[in-house]
Amino acid sequence: MKLSLGLVFLWLLSSEGNAENLEDQGKLKALRSFQFSCEQAMLPETPSSSVHALRPADIKTVTAIGSLQRTPGSGMHHEDLLQSTGKSLLEVSVETLAALISSFNPSVLHQSPLSGTKGATSDSQAIDLLRQAEEIVKLMKENQMMDFQNDWKLITVFFSAENPCSSCASTQLKSCILDNLEKLKAALDFLYKKVPKAFVNLVDYTELITSSPACQGYNNTSNPGRNQCNCVGEHSTLDDNILRWSYQDAWEKLLESERYDQKEDFTVVLQPSFQERNLLLRPGRDGFITTSKTQVEALEEDYIFMAVGLWNNMMEPVGQKQPYDFTKMLQVQCPSQENPYLFTYRNSNYSSSLETSNTKEISQERIYGTDIPCFDRDPSDTVPVSVHNLKPADIRVIAALGDSLTAGNGAASKPHDVADVLTQYRGVSWSVGGNENISTVTTLANILREFNPSLIGYSIGTGKETTDNAALNQAVAGNRAEDVPAQVRRLVDRMKNDTRINLQTDWKVITLLIGGNDLCDFCKNPVSYSPENYTYNLQKALDMLHSEVPRAFVNLVTILPITSLRELHKSTNNSCPKLLMRVLCPCVLNPHDNSDEIKKLVYFNRRYQERTRQLVESGRYDTRDDFTVVMQPFLTNVKMPKTQEGLPDSSYFAPDCFHFSQKSHSQAARALWNNMLEPLGEKTDNQKIEDEILLKCPNAAEPFLRTYKNSNYTYPNQTPNHGSQLLCEDRSPSSPPATSVHSLKPADVKIIAALGDSLTAGTGIASDNLLDLDTEYRGLSWSIGGDASLENVTTLPNIFREFNVTIVGYSTGTGSENDSNAFLNQAVPGAQAEHLPAQARNLVRLMKTDPRIDFSADWKLITVHIGGNDLCNCCKDPDHYSSVNFIRRIQETLDILHKQVPKALVSLVEVMDLLPLRQLFVDTQVQCPTYMADYLCSCVLTGEENSPNLTMVRQVTRDYQLGIRRLVESGRYDTHENFSVIIQPFLQNPKIPVGQDGHPDISYFSPDCFHPSQKGHSQLAKALWNAVLQPVDQKADSFDFTADIVLACPTQNNPFLATYKNSNYLPVEPTNEPVENWGSDLSCSEQAPSSPVPTSVHELQPADIKVIGALGDSLTTAVGAKATDLQTDWRGLSWSIGGDGTLETQTTLPNILKKFNPNLFGFSTGSSKETAGFNVAEKGATARNMSAQARELVELMRSSSKINFKEDWKLITVLVGGNDLCQYCLDKETYSVQKYVKHLQDALDIFYKELPRVFVNMVEILEISGLRQISASSSGCALTAKNVCPCFLNPEENSSELEEIKRVNRDFQAEALQLINSGRYEEREDFAVVMQPFFRNTLLPLDSNGKPDLSFFAADCFHFSLRGYAEMAMALWNNMLEPVGEKQTYNNFTHDRSKLKCPNPEKPFLSTPRNSGFRSSDLISDKTEPSVPYWAVIVAALAGVLVGSLLICLVSGRRTKRRQHDADTEKNTKMTTL
């Protein structure tokens, strides 16, 4: 039986003597929220004799010790909340662990912790840990309910690493560690000596002690009064983290030494600590400290959570234990059958770091000197007055700003001495250290001292920035960009107060590198650490230097690509402290590869670099001749240094594998020096740190530190002109005024307007950061903006204003469509086709009511562009975004304009193909926010190439474009002379701009890389203007962002805006070429069978299949395959088992498999029963017939002399259920969901029991409610189909009967899937059942008129035609090759002979859950609610099944959300499904 946690809870309430402190029955009610269901173990006859085989059921007593001290002066502490009314962590932990163990041993006791440990106490009151151990042992010995010598005990020892709040904060770190280590060792030694049969947990409690919100408020670095708390003093986060890690590391080494594993009945295991600071401020908690009952209860829940986490880690082997936090609800783990014991170091087969790190450490070269090869080391003849004539020897003062990399943390630490990383070796710092001289220590300062021995300002020795040794090295460990202005203030003050420095006349070199800590923590507050804030803080610091420091050359070193640190972290060939690395830089090292978090980090990193460059190249710091800032880029593209074996080389890092070792400091100094001498435009930006770096010398012709001026370097224009020239001579209007839209000249247009989405609204056009993307720059919009003039802003209205200066309607400035300056720009960010009619109505209202417009007399040009947002969402709801719906909404919009707006030419810009935009998000060298891809346009920008979603988007785009063309060219809007609609097709094939480096040029896009920038809008405006003039049959159908587009002019022969009529264009209806057959082409490189023949179904290749069979109904007998013949079973043409012809003439599964194995046996031919082979399907069959068919198939195979029954691999396809659904309303009991699944199970059980070597395709039943639409398409269909499927076709629309049968349909699907994924058929290695879901999300094929395409169906409008069966075969084959979890859930019923896939060369097997990386439990999800439809049916036809869309659309914060359906039944009604 299984024991739930509810019973455990009852134990807590009812155990007499064991639960004396549980009179408050609400204390542990939080336990109920944990999922816990373990097999109740029989109490062992004899308890285990070894602690390494200790089972939960063996444990008789649970207790804990620990001194939970609070920090002096720390204010309210967690334990204070519970001192009078609640329980301590120790108490709750003991009770929770005892409750969990009671499911295995109901008589387990829990020994309450000592009274002195229940609440928080001051240092003086704290009970010594050794004394606690003595007292708890005494109490256990005196306890009459336990046998001290023979009972197994679980003892948890809570301890904390010495924290900055303690008295140890002022002592040396190592002494502090040793002192604490001795205290804990004494307690454990006592337990080891005095307590038999004990399993001891060690748990680090530090995170809770330091999580006091009161103390944290003081600890905030922005709080000038933080020392009042005494929690931090001079300690930084780096100090705290390394302190704690060093303490835990010392304990791990002690335990790994087997000090406490010398006896079989005793062990100590260090359990991972809780990894969440500030429990009370986590999500869902009140941010204030109170002593309310709610707060107390919440804290007890937290303690229970931690105790459950401790239990779970006891179930995990050493080396695989994980810290736990509040990011997800824990599920209580149970002991496994393989490992039913608590894990120790020994039974975990854990290899100690002491054992694995015994390889001899290669001693690092400790001398990092170099030679200066320069002969000319003289200063200028006279002290230069210009920074552009500054020689190295002219430098008299050196200084530096930054973080721990410049402070020199760990730079000279010995290998493995992690604690020594806290030492700031400023004397060897790459940019400012001055220890010894250049022959032994290479730093920028020591290099410059070779040119000017009188250099001052460099740092020496060790110490913090406040020491005299630091000198002008004012870098602070742990600082971020926001802290640099304060560093500048201290630096300036030091220079002013140093009597050796003449601030006005001495030349200074100041080096700044900052940003590593920003990136390490950016994920905690992306806004605070945004690229914009980063550069803003840099600007503040540089502005101060520029304002207050004369004669200065500032090196601004670009931040390095910090993700390379992940290589060192992942490498197993080093002794790096991985946990500490994750603590020091969580946002870089914690995320998974290729996650959105990593993509966001890479984007932030690159934007830091790019915006730094933009800041420097703005010229902001080149306004004086005695000051400049030069970006030194040697770290911009630096890579992780590698060993000769190609592995990350940790010798370039300090012992924490995060900071630089002196080896790296030396290389960085060389690279910086060389950068300073390299001209701008030629600077090294990808220095290989592991290479030998030879120091360069000043150029004899230009012996100066290089600046933009002495490099003859021109900064890129920061304010480019986006204007254009119009060279048209004839700009006159028609005379007399035009009366026909087909004789409309540009100067005749008096009103200009636009409808659309964010592209037309102007989202992000002039934005320089992501935070500004909600700004709508309507005045710069390509089709409707009217800011400035054509001379500097190219837009369609500005071009028209060159012909008619009185034109009105254009938008200016920024704002929404409701602002007055938007005028007739009624586009709305996020708009989809469904929103367009409302925009049209608003536009008509505005034009009718504005006094500047003569609505009846003025000629109007209205530009319409929509569809991007529809495309971006089409894969999420194919029905809602189908081409039928899209075109219907476009038609509604155009009908409104046609009916209500006189004298108008509507320029309908074709839906843009968005797929090329993927290049911007795929190319890793492009600085685009790839992490926003899902938000911006998930259906287009995410997923792999050739994925089902992209295939759908590609088809939908074509369908939108084709549908619009048919609508407009139908003549529907050419019924009178004063109105017409013309398609502008130039966005049909956009070409992404590519820069000189071969990567996409993002200057044409806003910061999101999705919306165009002003540069892009200018190009769009030019292309649109030219399209407006081009005759219909000469219009461009492609757009190149980078093309040199010259504005065209009206010609004498074509002076009018082009229409279909004045272009003499006769629309030609596109037709599909006749198809001779429904065969396919397949040419796979690997078609050979496995060698030897596989014994596992999970390694089964197509060529290994020798036998094929099928069960089912008339769909599998192929009724209707030949047009009007509805009586014959055309088994030879059956999609899953037919073998007539060849693959080139008819696509069936056997014809595909015959390409791999020409000797395949079992397929059907012809139409007689005698040639049916192993096709045992029968017309009219229901699920209850499947068992009989299964038995028949087994006997046919067993008795066949053509096959080896035991050895041959067999493929069987099952599809049934249509007849069950069609008859459900006639006999609900017989055709119930339960009976349907039971019949499937019975059939599969027969195969599982009797057939060896089988792969079963279970094809999901389709959702057949779409039959209603087919039957409604013709009277013949309606009459026939109603007789075939009355339960679906007879009910009235929206009736309860119809809703019920739809629900049953979905339940058939859901319950069948549950059966397949239950694991029932996974015990045999040679058997698999796989659900093939190609019918799940597919739409009814439609013809060119938007009606059901009956060429896919037989004459009864129920069965498929030969064309439809071929499509089913292709979809089934592709499903068989696609991994479980990635199978295509729809099929595209457009004829394409190349749709068949080939096996993946790396994994050429038929896909099963196991070889797809799943266990059955992974696939079993919560039961789908009956109201949720997740099968739609047959695929979108060539005629226009899917969705369509437009250019770039979604904006952060302001885009309109995709319409949500309130009721699933409503959604079902709308789906065009079969």
Side-chain angles (χ1 to χ4, degrees):
M1 65 179 283
K2 297 205 173 186
L3 188 67
S4 70
L5 204 58
L7 294 180
V8 178
F9 179 68
L10 290 177
W11 172 88
L12 287 169
L13 299 181
S14 63
S15 297
E16 295 183 6
N18 300 342
E20 67 260 354
N21 295 321
L22 293 177
E23 59 275 2
D24 181 358
Q25 296 188 1
K27 290 300 180 189
L28 293 180
K29 64 184 180 182
L31 267 174
R32 291 172 172 169
S33 64
F34 290 97
Q35 303 174 21
F36 182 44
S37 183
C38 295
E39 291 287 346
Q40 185 177 18
M42 296 296 293
L43 285 174
E45 294 182 5
T46 58
S48 170
S49 60
S50 171
V51 72
H52 308 293
L54 185 66
R55 296 157 296 186
D58 295 327
I59 296 173
K60 297 295 180 65
T61 301
V62 181
T63 190
I65 62 173
S67 183
L68 308 185
Q69 301 169 211
R70 76 164 172 237
T71 301
S74 63
M76 185 69 70
H77 189 272
H78 291 166
E79 296 297 334
D80 292 324
L81 294 177
L82 302 172
Q83 192 167 15
S84 59
T85 59
K87 296 187 175 183
S88 71
L89 173 60
L90 269 67
E91 291 177 289
V92 175
S93 296
V94 167
E95 291 171 0
T96 304
L97 290 174
L100 295 171
I101 292 171
S102 72
S103 66
F104 306 95
N105 179 6
S107 62
V108 66
L109 306 172
H110 64 276
Q111 180 69 56
S112 296
L114 303 178
S115 58
T117 66
K118 294 182 179 180
T121 61
S122 67
D123 286 344
S124 60
Q125 297 171 324
I127 299 179
D128 179 78
L129 199 59
L130 175 58
R131 184 182 159 199
Q132 286 187 54
E134 294 169 345
E135 289 294 325
I136 207 73
V137 169
K138 179 182 177 183
L139 289 173
M140 287 192 292
K141 286 182 176 180
E142 294 172 351
N143 192 330
Q144 299 299 313
M145 300 179 68
M146 69 176 290
D147 183 340
F148 182 74
Q149 291 298 324
N150 297 313
D151 287 350
W152 280 102
K153 308 152 197 78
L154 176 64
I155 305 173
T156 302
V157 179
F158 289 92
F159 68 97
S160 68
E162 194 67 63
N163 61 78
C165 301
S166 72
S167 59
C168 208
S170 61
T171 65
Q172 291 297 318
L173 172 63
K174 293 179 182 177
S175 299
C176 181
I177 293 173
L178 290 174
D179 182 53
N180 260 328
L181 190 61
E182 288 304 318
K183 290 179 181 178
L184 278 171
K185 192 188 298 182
L188 288 184
D189 285 350
F190 175 81
L191 293 174
Y192 182 65
K193 182 178 179 180
K194 298 293 185 181
V195 183
K197 293 197 172 183
F199 184 105
V200 180
N201 287 317
L202 280 187
V203 179
D204 184 359
Y205 188 71
T206 309
E207 290 288 350
L208 292 185
I209 288 183
T210 58
S211 67
S212 166
C215 192
Q216 287 184 358
Y218 284 108
N219 289 349
N220 190 311
T221 55
S222 64
N223 187 342
R226 67 179 186 170
N227 286 340
Q228 298 172 31
C229 187
N230 295 325
C231 282
V232 176
E234 295 184 353
H235 279 249
S236 67
T237 302
L238 177 65
D239 295 330
D240 296 344
N241 288 330
I242 289 184
L243 177 78
R244 291 177 193 138
W245 182 88
S246 299
Y247 191 71
Q248 288 198 1
D249 183 59
W251 263 107
E252 286 180 359
K253 286 185 169 69
L254 175 68
L255 297 184
E256 290 169 9
S257 70
E258 301 183 356
R259 179 184 181 94
Y260 302 113
D261 280 325
Q262 302 303 311
K263 299 190 299 187
E264 278 295 314
D265 69 345
F266 191 96
T267 195
V268 182
V269 178
L270 182 65
Q271 305 292 359
S273 60
F274 181 74
Q275 295 293 305
E276 174 75 12
R277 295 275 192 104
N278 198 357
L279 295 179
L280 298 182
L281 295 183
R282 65 182 173 87
R285 287 282 187 264
D286 194 336
F288 298 95
I289 300 176
T290 70
T291 55
S292 68
K293 181 179 178 181
T294 301
Q295 196 75 292
V296 169
E297 290 177 346
L299 195 55
E300 284 196 1
E301 290 176 11
D302 292 340
Y303 287 167
I304 292 172
F305 184 99
M306 291 190 296
V308 172
L310 172 59
W311 166 269
N312 286 348
N313 270 315
M314 291 163 60
M315 302 294 119
E316 292 290 343
V318 177
Q320 299 179 31
K321 299 176 186 290
Q322 295 294 326
Y324 46 97
D325 55 31
F326 282 112
T327 58
K328 61 182 179 181
M329 175 56 67
L330 292 179
Q331 179 174 348
V332 181
Q333 291 193 24
C334 300
S336 65
Q337 291 183 351
E338 299 81 7
N339 301 299
Y341 40 75
L342 306 184
F343 280 97
T344 66
Y345 289 92
R346 188 187 301 178
N347 65 28
S348 299
N349 295 318
Y350 179 68
S351 296
S352 140
S353 60
L354 298 176
E355 298 170 1
T356 58
S357 62
N358 276 339
T359 53
K360 187 175 181 181
E361 182 72 31
I362 300 174
S363 61
Q364 295 184 35
E365 180 188 357
R366 306 303 294 175
I367 298 176
Y368 300 105
T370 191
D371 294 321
I372 302 289
C374 312
F375 297 106
D376 181 8
R377 305 187 188 183
D378 297 329
S380 303
D381 294 336
T382 58
V383 178
V385 295
S386 172
V387 73
H388 310 293
N389 297 324
L390 189 64
K391 295 177 67 175
D394 297 328
I395 303 297
R396 175 161 168 71
V397 180
I398 189 167
L401 308 167
D403 51 30
S404 51
L405 293 183
T406 302
N409 279 82
S413 298
K414 294 179 181 179
H416 307 303
D417 190 355
V418 176
D420 193 54
V421 172
L422 294 182
T423 303
Q424 297 177 7
Y425 290 94
R426 292 180 183 261
V428 297
S429 174
W430 59 292
S431 61
V432 71
N435 274 8
E436 302 175 25
N437 56 58
I438 193 66
S439 65
T440 56
V441 177
T442 302
T443 65
L444 179 63
N446 281 351
I447 295 173
L448 286 172
R449 287 166 70 189
E450 294 297 304
F451 291 83
N452 179 7
S454 301
L455 185 76
I456 58 177
Y458 54 81
S459 50
I460 58 173
T462 63
K464 297 196 173 185
E465 70 282 355
T466 55
T467 63
D468 292 339
N469 283 353
L472 300 186
N473 179 351
Q474 286 302 294
V476 180
N479 267 196
R480 301 175 175 85
E482 64 183 347
D483 303 306
V484 178
Q487 292 185 28
V488 172
R489 173 52 51 219
R490 291 195 303 272
L491 174 62
V492 172
D493 290 344
R494 281 207 168 198
M495 288 194 292
K496 287 180 178 179
N497 295 327
D498 193 322
T499 56
R500 299 172 297 169
I501 299 174
N502 187 322
L503 189 66
Q504 298 301 320
T505 61
D506 287 345
W507 279 102
K508 310 155 196 79
V509 163
I510 304 171
T511 302
L512 168 60
L513 170 62
I514 198 75
N517 294 310
D518 299 74
L519 290 172
C520 282
D521 287 336
F522 90 97
C523 60
K524 300 175 182 177
N525 192 340
V527 174
S528 178
Y529 299 119
S530 68
E532 292 72 37
N533 280 340
Y534 172 77
T535 45
Y536 170 71
N537 288 313
L538 283 185
Q539 180 180 313
K540 283 173 61 179
L542 294 174
D543 284 354
M544 292 172 65
L545 290 173
H546 185 232
S547 172
E548 300 186 39
V549 182
R551 294 200 173 183
F553 182 104
V554 179
N555 288 317
L556 183 55
V557 180
T558 314
I559 183 68
L560 73 162
I562 200 167
T563 52
S564 61
L565 196 63
R566 291 171 63 86
E567 294 182 55
L568 192 62
H569 178 261
K570 288 193 293 186
S571 176
T572 57
N573 294 79
N574 58 52
S575 56
C576 290
K578 306 300 175 67
L579 176 60
L580 176 61
M581 293 175 71
R582 292 195 297 271
V583 171
L584 292 176
C585 200
C587 298
V588 174
L589 298 177
N590 286 342
H592 297 296
D593 289 340
N594 300 316
S595 62
D596 283 345
E597 290 86 352
I598 285 297
K599 293 176 182 177
K600 189 172 185 177
L601 169 66
V602 171
Y603 174 75
F604 270 49
N605 203 155
R606 288 177 177 162
R607 291 299 292 169
Y608 275 24
Q609 296 174 337
E610 178 62 17
R611 290 186 67 88
T612 299
R613 182 189 64 78
Q614 292 172 353
L615 174 61
V616 173
E617 293 187 351
S618 68
R620 184 182 187 93
Y621 306 110
D622 289 306
T623 59
R624 301 200 325 257
D625 213 31
D626 71 338
F627 187 97
T628 194
V629 178
V630 178
M631 190 177 76
Q632 308 298 1
F634 69 93
L635 291 177
T636 301
N637 297 302
V638 72
K639 291 181 171 55
M640 174 63 62
K642 301 293 177 62
T643 63
Q644 291 183 348
E645 294 77 23
L647 300 173
D649 191 343
S650 60
S651 69
Y652 285 90
F653 294 86
D656 64 353
C657 293
F658 181 75
H659 294 89
F660 289 166
S661 67
Q662 190 175 351
K663 192 174 180 180
S664 279
H665 277 272
S666 174
Q667 292 291 77
R670 292 177 172 93
L672 173 59
W673 166 258
N674 288 348
N675 254 182
M676 292 167 66
L677 298 181
E678 292 166 341
L680 273 73
E682 301 176 26
K683 290 183 182 291
T684 301
D685 65 359
N686 59 347
Q687 181 65 59
K688 287 191 174 182
I689 298 298
E690 62 267 47
D691 286 357
E692 180 182 7
I693 304 176
L694 299 177
L695 294 179
K696 296 183 178 182
C697 292
N699 185 305
E702 292 283 347
F704 313 121
L705 303 185
R706 304 312 291 264
T707 66
Y708 83 97
K709 192 170 184 178
N710 62 35
S711 300
N712 295 317
Y713 181 79
T714 304
Y715 289 146
N717 190 352
Q718 298 296 310
T719 55
N721 186 295
H722 295 294
S724 300
Q725 283 188 315
L726 186 71
L727 304 177
C728 306
E729 296 181 0
D730 182 7
R731 305 188 185 189
S732 61
S734 299
S735 182
T739 57
S740 170
V741 71
H742 308 295
S743 57
L744 192 64
K745 296 178 67 175
D748 297 331
V749 176
K750 294 188 176 181
I751 311 299
I752 194 162
L755 309 176
D757 51 30
S758 54
L759 180 66
T760 302
T763 293
I765 294 179
S767 299
D768 66 349
N769 64 80
L770 291 173
L771 300 179
D772 188 52
L773 280 176
D774 59 349
T775 302
E776 299 162 26
Y777 292 90
R778 293 180 179 264
L780 302 175
S781 173
W782 60 305
S783 62
I784 189 64
D787 278 356
S789 65
L790 184 61
E791 184 179 358
N792 41 39
V793 176
T794 304
T795 63
L796 188 66
N798 282 352
I799 298 172
F800 270 94
R801 285 160 72 183
E802 296 293 309
F803 292 85
N804 178 8
V805 296
T806 64
I807 194 170
V808 295
Y810 53 81
S811 51
T812 58
T814 63
S816 75
E817 73 280 3
N818 299 317
D819 295 337
S820 59
N821 56 298
F823 206 0
L824 301 185
N825 179 352
Q826 286 302 294
V828 180
Q832 301 168 3
E834 64 182 306
H835 306 117
L836 209 56
Q839 290 186 26
R841 294 186 185 95
N842 284 337
L843 176 63
V844 172
R845 176 182 55 79
L846 288 170
M847 289 193 293
K848 285 182 176 180
T849 56
D850 195 283
R852 292 166 288 183
I853 298 174
D854 188 332
F855 186 68
S856 300
D858 290 345
W859 280 105
K860 309 160 193 74
L861 176 67
I862 305 172
T863 303
V864 179
H865 181 54
I866 201 76
N869 293 312
D870 300 77
L871 283 179
C872 287
N873 290 290
C874 67
C875 65
K876 301 174 184 176
D877 191 343
D879 176 59
H880 183 69
Y881 297 102
S882 69
S883 63
V884 173
N885 283 336
F886 181 80
I887 302 306
R888 175 173 56 80
R889 291 153 182 162
I890 298 295
Q891 178 179 316
E892 181 183 353
T893 303
L894 296 178
D895 285 354
I896 292 170
L897 298 176
H898 182 229
K899 181 178 180 180
Q900 300 185 37
V901 183
K903 290 195 171 183
L905 176 63
V906 177
S907 184
L908 182 58
V909 181
E910 197 157 48
V911 174
M912 179 180 178
D913 182 0
L914 299 181
L915 290 173
L917 291 176
R918 285 175 54 83
Q919 298 174 41
L920 296 163
F921 290 80
V922 172
D923 192 327
T924 57
Q925 298 302 310
V926 179
Q927 295 181 17
C928 286
T930 55
Y931 66 93
M932 293 179 63
D934 185 63
Y935 167 74
L936 290 168
C937 190
S938 59
C939 292
V940 174
L941 301 180
T942 62
E944 300 296 325
E945 291 296 333
N946 301 318
S947 66
N949 279 353
L950 293 188
T951 301
M952 177 184 287
V953 171
R954 194 171 286 111
Q955 181 63 44
V956 171
T957 303
R958 289 195 293 264
D959 290 342
Y960 280 10
Q961 294 170 345
L962 183 61
I964 288 176
R965 179 179 167 190
R966 285 175 171 148
L967 172 65
V968 174
E969 294 185 356
S970 68
R972 184 183 184 93
Y973 304 110
D974 285 310
T975 58
H976 47 260
E977 286 294 308
N978 72 351
F979 189 93
S980 189
V981 179
I982 185 74
I983 294 175
Q984 313 298 356
F986 63 94
L987 289 180
Q988 194 176 112
N989 299 292
K991 181 180 178 182
I992 295 301
V994 176
Q996 293 181 348
D997 59 359
H999 300 291
D1001 184 350
I1002 59 174
S1003 67
Y1004 289 90
F1005 296 90
S1006 67
D1008 64 1
C1009 293
F1010 190 65
H1011 295 89
S1013 63
Q1014 188 175 354
K1015 189 176 181 180
H1017 272 264
S1018 296
Q1019 292 292 87
L1020 287 169
K1022 294 176 188 177
L1024 176 57
W1025 162 257
N1026 288 351
V1028 167
L1029 296 180
Q1030 291 163 344
V1032 173
D1033 56 352
Q1034 298 176 30
K1035 290 183 182 293
D1037 63 358
S1038 62
F1039 173 68
D1040 185 348
F1041 275 95
T1042 61
D1044 184 12
I1045 304 176
V1046 177
L1047 293 178
C1049 293
T1051 64
Q1052 187 172 0
N1053 293 331
N1054 295 297
F1056 310 124
L1057 304 184
T1059 65
Y1060 290 100
K1061 187 172 182 178
N1062 64 30
S1063 299
N1064 296 316
Y1065 177 78
L1066 296 176
V1068 178
E1069 174 67 22
T1071 59
N1072 295 325
E1073 296 182 5
V1075 178
E1076 296 180 2
N1077 60 61
W1078 304 110
S1080 297
D1081 299 321
L1082 181 66
S1083 179
C1084 300
S1085 57
E1086 183 56 60
Q1087 298 184 356
S1090 305
S1091 180
V1093 175
T1095 58
S1096 171
V1097 71
H1098 311 293
E1099 298 176 356
L1100 187 65
Q1101 298 190 45
D1104 298 329
I1105 295 172
K1106 300 288 185 65
V1107 182
I1108 191 166
L1111 315 184
D1113 51 27
S1114 52
L1115 289 181
T1116 302
T1117 66
V1119 166
K1122 289 199 174 178
T1124 57
D1125 185 350
L1126 297 175
Q1127 303 304 316
T1128 305
D1129 292 324
W1130 298 99
R1131 294 175 185 267
L1133 299 174
S1134 173
W1135 58 291
S1136 63
I1137 187 81
D1140 279 355
T1142 65
L1143 180 60
E1144 287 69 29
T1145 59
Q1146 181 59 37
T1147 306
T1148 66
L1149 183 60
N1151 283 348
I1152 296 170
L1153 286 170
K1154 283 190 281 185
K1155 290 292 182 180
F1156 295 85
N1157 178 12
N1159 298 318
L1160 184 73
F1161 184 80
F1163 53 80
S1164 308
T1165 58
S1167 57
S1168 69
K1169 184 70 173 176
E1170 290 72 23
T1171 59
F1174 291 149
N1175 181 351
V1176 296
E1178 293 291 345
K1179 283 188 295 187
T1182 62
R1184 66 179 174 178
N1185 303 123
M1186 291 303 98
S1187 295
Q1189 290 188 18
R1191 292 191 187 92
E1192 179 184 357
L1193 180 59
V1194 170
E1195 291 308 313
L1196 284 173
M1197 289 184 173
R1198 198 192 307 272
S1199 60
S1200 174
S1201 61
K1202 301 291 186 180
I1203 68 173
N1204 185 323
F1205 183 73
K1206 292 185 177 180
E1207 299 296 328
D1208 287 348
W1209 279 102
K1210 308 159 193 74
L1211 175 68
I1212 300 174
T1213 301
V1214 182
L1215 172 60
V1216 75
N1219 293 316
D1220 298 72
L1221 288 171
C1222 286
Q1223 300 175 65
Y1224 170 79
C1225 61
L1226 307 178
D1227 188 344
K1228 295 183 180 181
E1229 174 61 26
T1230 298
Y1231 300 110
S1232 69
V1233 175
Q1234 294 73 20
K1235 291 284 182 68
Y1236 174 74
V1237 176
K1238 182 63 169 61
H1239 294 320
L1240 291 183
Q1241 179 181 311
D1242 291 344
L1244 292 175
D1245 285 353
I1246 291 170
F1247 289 150
Y1248 191 62
K1249 181 179 180 181
E1250 301 187 31
L1251 271 185
R1253 296 197 172 185
V1254 186
F1255 184 105
V1256 180
N1257 284 319
M1258 179 63 71
V1259 179
E1260 279 184 351
I1261 182 175
L1262 46 81
E1263 191 170 59
I1264 62 178
S1265 59
L1267 284 173
R1268 296 172 63 85
Q1269 186 171 343
I1270 300 174
S1271 66
S1273 63
S1274 72
S1275 56
C1277 277
L1279 182 62
T1280 307
K1282 282 194 175 185
N1283 294 327
V1284 174
C1285 196
C1287 294
F1288 259 108
L1289 300 180
N1290 289 341
E1292 297 295 325
E1293 203 65 41
N1294 298 321
S1295 65
S1296 59
E1297 293 85 355
L1298 180 59
E1299 294 308 312
E1300 181 184 12
I1301 191 63
K1302 287 182 178 180
R1303 176 185 58 77
V1304 172
N1305 194 162
R1306 295 192 297 273
D1307 288 349
F1308 270 30
Q1309 299 163 341
E1311 295 300 328
L1313 184 62
Q1314 288 288 99
L1315 169 65
I1316 302 306
N1317 291 339
S1318 67
R1320 184 182 183 89
Y1321 305 109
E1322 293 188 2
E1323 293 301 319
R1324 278 176 46 188
E1325 190 66 24
D1326 69 339
F1327 190 96
V1329 184
V1330 180
M1331 186 65 82
Q1332 309 297 3
F1334 65 87
F1335 268 152
R1336 184 177 298 169
N1337 291 305
T1338 47
L1339 302 176
L1340 186 70
L1342 306 176
D1343 61 18
S1344 58
N1345 297 315
K1347 296 181 178 180
D1349 188 343
L1350 299 182
S1351 70
F1352 289 98
F1353 300 95
D1356 63 358
C1357 302
F1358 182 81
H1359 294 91
F1360 290 106
S1361 66
L1362 196 58
R1363 181 183 184 185
Y1365 285 127
E1367 291 294 329
M1368 290 174 67
M1370 286 186 267
L1372 173 60
W1373 167 258
N1374 288 346
N1375 258 183
M1376 290 166 61
L1377 298 182
E1378 293 160 346
V1380 174
E1382 300 176 29
K1383 292 182 181 292
Q1384 182 164 300
T1385 57
Y1386 71 93
N1387 186 36
N1388 211 337
F1389 273 47
T1390 54
H1391 183 65
D1392 184 348
R1393 296 182 64 91
S1394 61
K1395 280 172 32 173
L1396 294 177
K1397 296 183 177 181
C1398 289
N1400 184 335
E1402 297 178 1
K1403 192 182 285 187
F1405 314 124
L1406 303 186
S1407 292
T1408 66
R1410 188 188 302 179
N1411 64 31
S1412 301
F1414 288 95
R1415 299 167 298 180
S1416 60
S1417 58
D1418 296 327
L1419 297 169
I1420 299 175
S1421 59
D1422 293 338
K1423 229 178 186 179
T1424 307
E1425 292 184 13
S1427 62
V1428 180
Y1430 61 99
W1431 285 265
V1433 193
I1434 281 188
V1435 147
L1438 181 104
V1441 181
L1442 295 171
V1443 220
S1445 97
L1446 163 67
L1447 173 67
I1448 319 165
C1449 308
L1450 300 140
V1451 258
S1452 82
R1454 301 206 52 153
R1455 68 177 188 174
T1456 304
K1457 298 289 185 183
R1458 176 168 68 86
R1459 178 167 70 90
Q1460 301 293 323
H1461 302 296
D1462 292 334
D1464 290 320
T1465 53
E1466 194 177 338
K1467 180 176 178 181
N1468 288 331
T1469 306
K1470 294 175 182 174
M1471 290 190 72
T1472 312
T1473 58
L1474 173 60

